Amino acid sequence: MSRFKGGCKDSLAGFKVQTAEPTVPYGLLKAARKSGQLNLSGRGLKEVPQNVYRLNIDTPEEAQQNVSFGAADRWWEQTDLTKILLSSNQITLLSDDIRLLPGLTTLDLHDNQLSSLPSALGELQNLQQLRLSHNQLDSLPVEMCTLKNLRSLTLQQNLLENLPEDLGQLANLTELDASSNQLKSLPSSFGCLVSLQKVNLCHNQLSGLPDSLARLTNVKLLDCSDNQLTEIPESLSEMLALEQLYLRHNKLRFLPKLPAPALKELYVGNNQIEQLQTEQLSCLTAISLLELRNNKIKTVPEEITLLSTLTRLDLTNNDITSLPASLSLLPNLNVLLLEGNPLRGIRRDILSKGTSELLKYLRGRVKEEPDKTDGGDTAMMLPSQARVNVHDIKTLKLLAYSDKQAGSIPEELFAGAAGQSIATVNFSKNQLTSVPPRLVEFQSSLSEVNLGFNRLISCSPDICKLLQLTHIDLRNNQLSDLPSEMQNLTKLRSIILVYNRFKSFPDVLYETLSLETILLANNQVCEVDPSRLMKLTHLSTLDLANNDLLNIPPELGLCTSLRCLSLEGNPFRTPRAAIVAKGTDALMEYLRSRIPT
């Protein structure tokens, strides 16, 4: 018995040596034995206290004093530690004793002062999430590559010059962030990371990408911005799931030739591209957003009209002097950015009025073919003085009656479009107080509706019969609710509700699972439910700026699909404005670090 007491004294003496250092409150350790989770973030720790490493091994102090079956805390029923958060400390060294916590599934060490990692890390075979960003690591132990259950590895903001050659063994890895390091190349085994879905390699010194990337057929997002790339291998076309490709701030001289079948967004701003070639453009069969700003492009070829799915084209700050009128024939183009080009022949006031006016001007320059069946007559006047633009209706599948300040849409307009497969309706900038009921006549074909800048007080359930809808613009109205039937719109990708009167996040949006973009700025929304928002697995943009949000639930950081989260202009105190200003990634990381365990 005396030997047992002696051991106890040694153990306590060991703790007393640490008194100059911040210690871990005993109550936290006790709670961690029950929950399996321990949050030690932001405690000023310079090292991980020994009693944390030994949490699963040492007999709790109270168990030595009371081992009766009536004890409230039965130490032998304790749970192994599965999650430990050590972020935002001053830890310089992680001990080999980390192997004493083999049950860990999450190890968060981001924002410390680590310059190396122990080989014992490779013994944590249950580890699924390893966060090492914002440290001073210049290499990774090869043993780390044996973590066969690892799903997420974040390494951004370190000093890494290379990644281990055996990295490809992490066959279950779905997310890798190695941005803001000093990587000059990628290991040849990189193509073996076949489960990857999201890869961030921006802000490195990569001069080329390996052909083996083509084997990453599950990657949806690849960010290689801010590197030294001069060309992109054509083999990337085999990345069948690739939807978003970021190549900003490189040294590309040509648009990459990428017939990747799912590619929706291509960002190649701030390169040295001088020419858009037909061969490269014709490859982009699914492209929705094409960013070409800050290049040296001189002309836009007629073949740009091949991009029938294009909704946003950014040509800001190039050397473009003229535009092909056929640009206006792109059926889905709704944002065209041209600032900072030496354009001739287009008056500045037209350019300043925005995309719709510019496209309207360009449409006026499109020369009708002489053998048109309607004899070249593109518009007919009706008694109501409503112009029915036959060219718009037949060729562009567009029904427009915008900026008329009208209280209703003339019946003749619908009559002129009867039997046509109208895809886009623009009734914005009028005085409409209700959704025109005759829209349902186009329910089999209508994909985009713009009813912005009207006086809508409610949104009729009729709009929910338009089952092909992908975009709805209801900005600048007087709406405070949306019909529950909207969840039937299973193809709806974006909804714009800025400048309305919503006091809460519209319930039905939580159930509209196809949504990718929700713009809800400048309303009076006072809360958002992250547990319901997480169901929107495609949601990449959420704008809640200038609302009445008094607090931001940390769980919002678990909505991992979000690429752009705007919260400016709300009355909440945390997160602080300085964190919000750092951008979405930093904000999401901060929110995750605040989740109570």
Side-chain angles (χ1 to χ4, degrees):
M1 195 72 179
S2 59
R3 193 161 50 84
F4 182 78
K5 284 181 181 173
C8 200
K9 275 181 191 167
D10 287 348
S11 169
L12 291 171
F15 288 127
K16 284 169 187 166
V17 176
Q18 305 287 331
T19 51
E21 292 291 323
T23 54
V24 180
Y26 183 73
L28 264 185
L29 296 178
K30 187 176 174 183
R33 283 195 171 96
K34 284 185 179 179
S35 68
Q37 301 185 2
L38 180 59
N39 186 351
L40 298 177
S41 299
R43 289 188 168 269
L45 299 173
K46 292 192 172 140
E47 58 184 41
V48 182
Q50 199 61 28
N51 55 349
V52 172
Y53 288 128
R54 300 187 61 82
L55 192 69
N56 295 346
I57 298 170
D58 286 347
T59 308
E61 187 181 331
E62 69 270 20
Q64 293 157 20
Q65 295 154 8
N66 182 357
V67 289
S68 72
F69 281 95
D73 299 302
R74 294 177 177 171
W75 62 267
W76 55 85
E77 291 179 1
Q78 72 178 35
T79 304
D80 273 2
L81 203 59
T82 59
K83 180 176 182 180
I84 183 164
L85 308 181
L86 291 158
S87 60
S88 301
N89 283 293
Q90 297 155 38
I91 298 169
T92 55
L93 192 68
L94 192 66
S95 159
D96 269 330
D97 286 342
I98 194 72
R99 63 161 61 97
L100 300 177
L101 299 170
L104 282 182
T105 59
T106 297
L107 175 57
D108 186 351
L109 287 157
H110 84 265
D111 191 18
N112 277 287
Q113 295 169 25
L114 294 167
S115 57
S116 63
L117 296 169
S119 56
L121 204 58
E123 297 180 37
L124 305 181
Q125 286 295 304
N126 290 305
L127 206 58
Q128 295 178 21
Q129 193 167 52
L130 180 56
R131 301 177 191 155
L132 297 166
S133 63
H134 296 268
N135 277 285
Q136 295 163 28
L137 299 170
D138 56 14
S139 65
L140 301 173
V142 67
E143 291 81 2
M144 212 173 88
C145 301
T146 64
L147 298 173
K148 60 181 184 295
N149 286 304
L150 198 63
R151 303 284 193 277
S152 173
L153 176 59
T154 53
L155 300 164
Q156 66 268 33
Q157 295 281 356
N158 276 287
L159 305 170
L160 298 170
E161 293 186 11
N162 52 55
L163 298 171
E165 194 51 51
D166 292 339
L167 191 74
Q169 292 179 26
L170 300 174
N172 285 307
L173 199 66
T174 59
E175 178 187 11
L176 173 64
D177 191 339
S179 60
S180 299
N181 278 283
Q182 297 168 22
L183 301 176
K184 293 182 174 64
S185 62
L186 298 175
S188 56
S189 67
F190 204 86
C192 299
L193 300 169
V194 291
S195 297
L196 274 180
Q197 294 178 21
K198 188 175 174 183
V199 184
N200 192 343
L201 298 166
C202 72
H203 291 279
N204 277 289
Q205 298 165 27
L206 298 172
S207 56
L209 298 174
D211 279 328
S212 65
L213 280 182
R215 290 154 60 191
L216 304 181
T217 53
N218 289 305
V219 168
K220 293 181 178 180
L221 184 149
L222 174 60
D223 191 344
C224 293
S225 297
D226 291 274
N227 277 284
Q228 310 285 323
L229 301 173
T230 54
E231 60 180 4
I232 303 300
E234 282 188 36
S235 56
L236 257 63
S237 303
E238 295 166 40
M239 297 176 73
L240 300 180
L242 187 63
E243 294 180 1
Q244 295 173 295
L245 177 59
Y246 292 81
L247 297 168
R248 293 170 171 151
H249 291 276
N250 276 287
K251 296 180 176 178
L252 301 175
R253 294 185 56 237
F254 299 101
L255 196 63
K257 185 182 177 186
L258 282 177
L263 190 63
K264 293 178 184 174
E265 299 180 14
L266 177 59
Y267 301 85
V268 284
N270 294 86
N271 277 282
Q272 298 164 19
I273 298 170
E274 295 182 9
Q275 191 179 2
L276 299 177
Q277 294 160 310
T278 305
E279 197 179 5
Q280 276 82 340
L281 286 173
S282 61
C283 289
L284 303 172
T285 52
I287 202 76
S288 172
L289 186 156
L290 181 57
E291 186 214 67
L292 292 158
R293 58 167 46 223
N294 298 305
N295 277 287
K296 299 174 181 178
I297 298 164
K298 293 180 175 61
T299 57
V300 179
E302 292 279 345
E303 289 80 8
I304 195 85
T305 54
L306 295 169
L307 309 183
S308 60
T309 51
L310 194 63
T311 62
R312 183 184 178 97
L313 176 60
D314 187 349
L315 292 163
T316 305
N317 295 335
N318 276 282
D319 298 330
I320 299 164
T321 54
S322 65
L323 290 174
S326 55
L327 196 60
S328 64
L329 300 178
L330 285 169
N332 295 300
L333 188 65
N334 52 39
V335 178
L336 175 60
L337 303 175
L338 290 162
E339 284 291 316
N341 281 286
L343 285 166
R344 300 190 194 111
I346 301 178
R347 297 198 316 274
R348 182 167 290 279
D349 65 307
I350 292 172
L351 288 171
S352 66
K353 284 180 180 172
T355 302
S356 59
E357 289 299 314
L358 177 57
L359 293 180
K360 191 189 293 184
Y361 168 79
L362 290 174
R363 275 185 211 117
R365 282 174 33 192
V366 176
K367 293 183 171 58
E368 294 292 323
E369 297 295 326
D371 58 349
K372 281 274 184 188
T373 51
D374 59 40
D377 179 18
T378 62
M380 52 187 178
M381 293 296 288
L382 296 167
S384 66
Q385 297 300 300
R387 285 179 71 82
V388 176
N389 192 317
V390 176
H391 174 264
D392 277 5
I393 289 171
K394 289 189 174 178
T395 309
L396 302 177
K397 309 298 181 191
L398 167 70
L399 188 61
Y401 194 75
S402 174
D403 211 1
K404 310 284 189 200
Q405 302 305 312
S408 62
I409 305 299
E411 295 297 313
E412 297 94 331
L413 199 72
F414 289 101
Q420 298 293 325
S421 299
I422 297 296
T424 306
V425 163
N426 183 1
F427 293 161
S428 64
K429 297 182 181 174
N430 283 296
Q431 302 283 323
L432 304 178
T433 54
S434 61
V435 176
R438 290 191 67 175
L439 281 181
V440 296
E441 294 173 21
F442 311 115
Q443 63 184 23
S444 63
S445 58
L446 194 56
S447 64
E448 297 190 25
V449 171
N450 185 348
L451 290 165
F453 296 93
N454 277 288
R455 293 185 170 182
L456 302 178
I457 295 165
S458 65
C459 185
S460 159
D462 279 351
I463 208 165
C464 306
K465 295 174 183 173
L466 307 174
L467 299 181
Q468 303 304 314
L469 271 188
T470 59
H471 301 281
I472 304 179
D473 190 339
L474 294 166
R475 75 182 77 189
N476 293 74
N477 278 285
Q478 298 167 28
L479 299 170
S480 57
D481 202 5
L482 294 175
S484 59
E485 294 88 343
M486 196 171 272
Q487 66 183 315
N488 298 333
L489 301 179
T490 56
K491 296 184 179 180
L492 190 64
R493 297 210 309 266
S494 75
I495 185 162
I496 303 176
L497 298 167
V498 299
Y499 287 102
N500 274 283
R501 297 181 178 174
F502 290 95
K503 287 188 165 61
S504 61
F505 194 93
D507 258 1
V508 70
L509 296 189
Y510 290 125
E511 310 300 328
T512 312
L513 303 183
S514 55
L515 279 169
E516 297 170 9
T517 299
I518 299 174
L519 305 185
L520 199 55
N522 297 91
N523 280 279
Q524 299 153 41
V525 175
C526 54
E527 63 178 348
V528 60
D529 184 345
S531 64
R532 299 181 70 189
L533 204 61
M534 269 188 267
K535 292 198 290 185
L536 304 184
T537 54
H538 302 290
L539 189 66
S540 61
T541 300
L542 175 61
D543 187 350
L544 290 166
N546 301 318
N547 276 283
D548 293 340
L549 295 169
L550 280 168
N551 65 359
I552 304 299
E555 292 78 10
L556 196 58
L558 299 175
C559 299
T560 51
S561 61
L562 281 178
R563 289 285 293 171
C564 180
L565 172 62
S566 300
L567 296 172
E568 299 82 2
N570 279 284
F572 58 78
R573 291 188 177 182
T574 56
R576 299 189 314 278
I579 290 168
V580 175
K582 284 182 180 176
T584 301
D585 287 347
L587 175 58
M588 298 288 277
E589 196 167 328
Y590 170 82
L591 290 172
R592 285 193 290 271
S593 76
R594 306 282 292 185
I595 296 172
T597 57

